[in-house]
Amino acid sequence: MASRSLGGLSGSRGGGGGGGCNKKSLSARNAAVERRNLITVCRFSVKTLIDRSCFETIDDSSPEFNNFAAILEQILSHRLKGQVTWFGYESPRSFWDYIRVACRKVSQNCICSIENMENVSSSRAKGRAWIRVALMEKHLSEYISTALRDFKTTRRFYEDGAIVLGEEANMLAGMLLGLNAIDFSFCLKGEGLDGNFPAVIDYTPYLKFTQSSDSISSDEEELRTLGSSGSESSTPENVGPPFIMDENSWFNKCKRVKQKYQLTLEQKGYLEELLRLRENQLSESVSQNKILLQRIEDSDLAHKLEKEQLEYIIVELQDQLKSYQSLDQLSAEVSLSQTSLDPGQSQEGDGKQDTLNLISEGKEDTPSLLGLCGSLTSVASYKSLTSLKSNDYLASPTTEMTSPGLTPS
């Protein structure tokens, strides 16, 4: 009995564990389906907005925009954490609390201006006002991308399984990028900013099914077969309304195509005019570029000539410096030689030294004069002159006056 009771208990526990796994897998599937549905509907709403913007201006009265705003609000509110109060209770929170913190890094953001709006008091209304302002500024995709990159703040505001924490977040930022091509016009004092009522998504515009001509003919045959087997009142004439509806739909399609064609023609003219202006600007820039290149070449040539002249001047200055250094060395040698001469010879040496000083102090820089000075003041010639003036070979003036051969008879 004990074994049976234990077996039944263990069996019941096993069955409970299996039920728990099934509940987890079911909840995970439901969350994935919910995320996929919201992202898919958001993509459809963006396409309808772009399509509608080709024919009319998008404002608060546009049903396509109202649906898109409701979808985006549902996406940003998906699995949003509540705000815990001091008493431990969790109060609901709007997506504006997350946007206000995560989008502060966007340059020239509109967060402060929305916070200071007087006619918008609730957090939900501020979030709806932010959606409209971001669309008019053409920065909605930039706001969403910046907020999603702040993963720490996103993790703090959202629970696991939220769209902004999954792989669908990157798809959302890419889809919203196409809305930058639309010119929106909103009134920030309308009823759309009322935050007392939650946003409701209208799925009916995305559930319509338009049959082609082949499918209509097949349905007609099916109705005929059903009419032949059923009552006689079910005749092919009852299939008339689908054809009338089809003709009306084709007429509307033709009208839309015509409007698109006219819009395309206007855009074509604008682009052609823009292209002509850009070509003129390009030709002007090319001519200016040629002028600048010619100026650069002329300046390079002038700089080369100036460089050559400066190099030639540097060489001349180096030669003059070498000649001055040789003169200084020669004067030093002369001063050393004077110390070994007699006082009388030193006087004559002083005269020669004065001559050398006059030569060295002169401002003549020609190589011929410097060469001449060098030849006159060389050490060898100076030694020859001193040897000729020695007492051994030349007589003094007093000796010549007292010579017997020179006395008068």
Side-chain angles (χ1 to χ4, degrees):
M1 293 293 292
S3 62
R4 288 182 182 178
S5 62
L6 289 175
L9 183 59
S10 62
S12 62
R13 286 180 180 177
C21 293
N22 291 332
K23 288 181 180 179
K24 289 182 179 179
S25 61
L26 184 60
S27 62
R29 175 192 172 278
N30 293 337
V33 170
E34 186 180 6
R35 293 195 303 268
R36 187 166 60 249
N37 289 340
L38 286 174
I39 291 296
T40 304
V41 172
C42 183
R43 184 170 65 250
F44 288 157
S45 65
V46 170
K47 288 183 178 180
T48 55
L49 271 176
I50 295 174
D51 209 17
R52 178 60 62 182
S53 65
C54 297
F55 308 107
E56 60 184 19
T57 304
I58 304 298
D59 53 8
D60 296 283
S61 62
S62 176
E64 289 82 6
F65 166 72
N66 293 326
N67 213 22
F68 166 76
I71 293 170
L72 184 60
E73 185 175 343
Q74 290 285 342
I75 290 174
L76 294 177
S77 301
H78 183 250
R79 289 185 175 271
L80 183 66
K81 291 180 180 179
Q83 187 175 6
V84 180
T85 61
W86 288 97
F87 301 101
Y89 297 105
E90 187 173 351
S91 61
R93 178 185 283 175
S94 173
F95 70 93
W96 169 247
D97 299 330
Y98 164 68
I99 293 296
R100 180 183 56 187
V101 177
C103 296
R104 290 284 185 181
K105 298 180 181 179
V106 178
S107 60
Q108 298 179 358
N109 60 75
C110 60
I111 304 297
C112 294
S113 60
I114 293 176
E115 286 283 356
N116 297 327
M117 291 179 66
E118 297 179 355
N119 59 325
V120 179
S121 58
S122 65
S123 179
R124 182 181 294 173
K126 289 181 180 179
R128 293 174 180 177
W130 167 78
I131 293 175
R132 287 161 171 78
V133 174
L135 286 173
M136 288 190 291
E137 292 180 350
K138 302 182 186 298
H139 292 325
L140 181 60
S141 178
E142 183 180 358
Y143 280 110
I144 296 298
S145 301
T146 305
L148 294 178
R149 282 196 296 268
D150 192 356
F151 189 75
K152 184 177 180 180
T153 303
T154 308
R155 223 23 182 159
R156 182 160 56 92
F157 277 88
Y158 288 90
E159 299 177 355
D160 293 335
I163 294 177
V164 295
L165 292 176
E167 298 177 355
E168 298 86 358
N170 297 326
M171 298 173 57
L172 176 64
M175 284 186 294
L176 299 178
L177 189 61
L179 298 178
N180 294 341
I182 303 177
D183 295 329
F184 293 93
S185 177
F186 301 117
C187 178
L188 300 180
K189 297 181 180 179
E191 297 179 355
L193 299 180
D194 188 8
N196 297 325
F197 302 98
V200 179
I201 302 175
D202 184 12
Y203 293 96
T204 54
Y206 316 115
L207 299 177
K208 291 181 179 178
F209 178 72
T210 304
Q211 293 181 340
S212 63
S213 58
D214 297 334
S215 64
I216 291 174
S217 62
S218 62
D219 291 342
E220 181 184 356
E221 293 177 357
E222 290 178 359
L223 289 174
R224 285 178 179 176
T225 55
L226 290 174
S228 61
S229 61
S231 62
E232 295 180 356
S233 61
S234 178
T235 58
E237 284 77 7
N238 294 333
V239 192
F243 285 104
I244 295 174
M245 292 177 62
D246 187 65
E247 289 177 0
N248 292 330
S249 63
W250 279 112
F251 177 75
N252 294 330
K253 288 181 180 179
C254 182
K255 186 177 179 181
R256 289 184 179 181
V257 169
K258 186 177 180 180
Q259 291 176 351
K260 287 184 179 181
Y261 177 72
Q262 292 177 354
L263 182 63
T264 306
L265 284 179
E266 294 177 357
Q267 292 178 352
K268 178 176 175 291
Y270 169 74
L271 291 176
E272 287 178 350
E273 182 67 19
L274 186 62
L275 179 61
R276 186 180 62 81
L277 293 175
R278 292 294 182 267
E279 287 177 352
N280 293 335
Q281 292 177 358
L282 180 62
S283 60
E284 291 178 359
S285 62
V286 168
S287 61
Q288 292 178 359
N289 190 19
K290 289 182 180 179
I291 295 172
L292 291 175
L293 289 176
Q294 186 64 31
R295 289 180 180 176
I296 291 172
E297 291 177 358
D298 295 340
S299 62
D300 288 341
L301 182 60
H303 291 163
K304 287 181 180 178
L305 294 175
E306 187 178 359
K307 182 180 178 181
E308 291 177 357
Q309 292 177 359
L310 291 174
E311 288 178 352
Y312 180 73
I313 293 172
I314 289 171
V315 171
E316 287 185 350
L317 291 175
Q318 288 177 352
D319 294 339
Q320 292 179 6
L321 182 61
K322 289 179 181 178
S323 63
Y324 289 152
Q325 289 177 355
S326 62
L327 286 175
D328 293 337
Q329 185 178 3
L330 181 59
S331 63
E333 291 177 357
V334 169
S335 63
L336 290 174
S337 62
Q338 284 179 354
T339 58
S340 62
L341 296 177
D342 294 334
Q345 294 175 353
S346 63
Q347 292 178 359
E348 189 175 353
D350 292 337
K352 187 175 289 295
Q353 181 65 29
D354 294 337
T355 306
L356 291 175
N357 291 334
L358 290 173
I359 294 172
S360 62
E361 291 176 359
K363 299 302 180 179
E364 181 65 34
D365 293 339
T366 57
S368 59
L369 182 58
L370 294 175
L372 180 59
C373 295
S375 63
L376 291 175
T377 59
S378 63
V379 178
S381 61
Y382 179 75
K383 287 182 178 180
S384 62
L385 291 174
T386 55
S387 63
L388 290 174
K389 291 181 179 181
S390 63
N391 293 326
D392 296 335
Y393 299 97
L394 296 177
S396 63
T398 57
T399 307
E400 290 179 358
M401 293 299 293
T402 59
S403 177
L406 296 177
T407 59
S409 55

Short mmCIF file of all heavy atoms in Angstrom, two decimals, residues 3 60 74 79-80 82 88 110 176 194 227 234 294 380:
data_model
loop_
_atom_site.label_atom_id
_atom_site.label_comp_id
_atom_site.label_asym_id
_atom_site.label_seq_id
_atom_site.Cartn_x
_atom_site.Cartn_y
_atom_site.Cartn_z
N SER A 3 3.88 1.40 -1.12
CA SER A 3 4.55 1.55 -2.41
C SER A 3 3.60 2.12 -3.44
O SER A 3 3.98 2.93 -4.28
CB SER A 3 5.11 0.19 -2.87
OG SER A 3 4.03 -0.73 -3.03
N ASP A 60 -3.66 64.53 -38.30
CA ASP A 60 -4.34 63.79 -37.23
C ASP A 60 -5.61 63.09 -37.70
O ASP A 60 -6.03 62.11 -37.09
CB ASP A 60 -4.68 64.75 -36.09
CG ASP A 60 -3.43 65.32 -35.44
OD1 ASP A 60 -2.80 64.60 -34.66
OD2 ASP A 60 -3.09 66.48 -35.75
N GLN A 74 1.69 50.44 -28.82
CA GLN A 74 1.62 49.08 -28.30
C GLN A 74 2.99 48.41 -28.29
O GLN A 74 3.33 47.68 -27.35
CB GLN A 74 0.65 48.26 -29.17
CG GLN A 74 -0.81 48.65 -29.04
CD GLN A 74 -1.40 48.16 -27.72
OE1 GLN A 74 -0.86 47.28 -27.07
NE2 GLN A 74 -2.52 48.76 -27.33
N ARG A 79 5.43 44.62 -22.60
CA ARG A 79 6.17 44.11 -21.45
C ARG A 79 6.97 45.22 -20.75
O ARG A 79 8.11 45.02 -20.33
CB ARG A 79 7.09 42.96 -21.85
CG ARG A 79 6.35 41.69 -22.20
CD ARG A 79 7.30 40.55 -22.49
NE ARG A 79 6.57 39.33 -22.71
CZ ARG A 79 6.21 38.46 -21.77
NH1 ARG A 79 6.51 38.70 -20.50
NH2 ARG A 79 5.55 37.35 -22.07
N LEU A 80 6.35 46.37 -20.62
CA LEU A 80 6.97 47.47 -19.90
C LEU A 80 6.78 47.27 -18.40
O LEU A 80 5.68 47.00 -17.93
CB LEU A 80 6.35 48.80 -20.35
CG LEU A 80 6.92 50.09 -19.75
CD1 LEU A 80 8.35 50.30 -20.21
CD2 LEU A 80 6.06 51.28 -20.14
N GLY A 82 6.33 48.01 -14.44
CA GLY A 82 5.65 49.03 -13.67
C GLY A 82 6.61 49.73 -12.70
O GLY A 82 7.74 49.28 -12.48
N GLY A 88 5.62 49.20 -1.91
CA GLY A 88 5.81 47.92 -2.56
C GLY A 88 4.82 47.62 -3.66
O GLY A 88 4.89 46.55 -4.28
N CYS A 110 13.73 66.85 -28.64
CA CYS A 110 12.53 67.59 -28.26
C CYS A 110 12.00 67.18 -26.90
O CYS A 110 10.84 67.46 -26.57
CB CYS A 110 11.45 67.39 -29.32
SG CYS A 110 10.95 65.67 -29.56
N LEU A 176 11.06 52.21 -39.56
CA LEU A 176 10.71 53.61 -39.31
C LEU A 176 11.56 54.58 -40.11
O LEU A 176 11.23 55.76 -40.21
CB LEU A 176 10.85 53.92 -37.82
CG LEU A 176 9.95 53.11 -36.88
CD1 LEU A 176 10.23 53.48 -35.44
CD2 LEU A 176 8.49 53.32 -37.22
N ASP A 194 -5.17 62.80 -25.97
CA ASP A 194 -5.87 62.46 -24.73
C ASP A 194 -5.31 61.15 -24.18
O ASP A 194 -5.39 60.10 -24.83
CB ASP A 194 -7.37 62.34 -24.99
CG ASP A 194 -8.14 62.17 -23.69
OD1 ASP A 194 -7.52 62.31 -22.62
OD2 ASP A 194 -9.35 61.90 -23.76
N GLY A 227 -25.74 26.27 -57.47
CA GLY A 227 -27.11 26.64 -57.85
C GLY A 227 -27.84 25.52 -58.55
O GLY A 227 -29.04 25.34 -58.37
N SER A 234 -30.79 30.33 -56.96
CA SER A 234 -29.35 30.56 -56.98
C SER A 234 -28.86 30.44 -58.41
O SER A 234 -28.40 29.39 -58.85
CB SER A 234 -28.65 29.54 -56.09
OG SER A 234 -27.27 29.71 -56.13
N GLN A 294 46.34 75.69 -61.70
CA GLN A 294 47.31 76.53 -62.39
C GLN A 294 48.04 77.45 -61.40
O GLN A 294 49.26 77.64 -61.50
CB GLN A 294 46.59 77.37 -63.47
CG GLN A 294 47.53 78.18 -64.34
CD GLN A 294 48.45 77.30 -65.16
OE1 GLN A 294 48.07 76.20 -65.54
NE2 GLN A 294 49.65 77.80 -65.42
N ALA A 380 105.58 82.45 -46.80
CA ALA A 380 106.85 82.28 -47.52
C ALA A 380 107.41 83.60 -48.00
O ALA A 380 108.61 83.90 -47.84
CB ALA A 380 106.65 81.33 -48.69
#
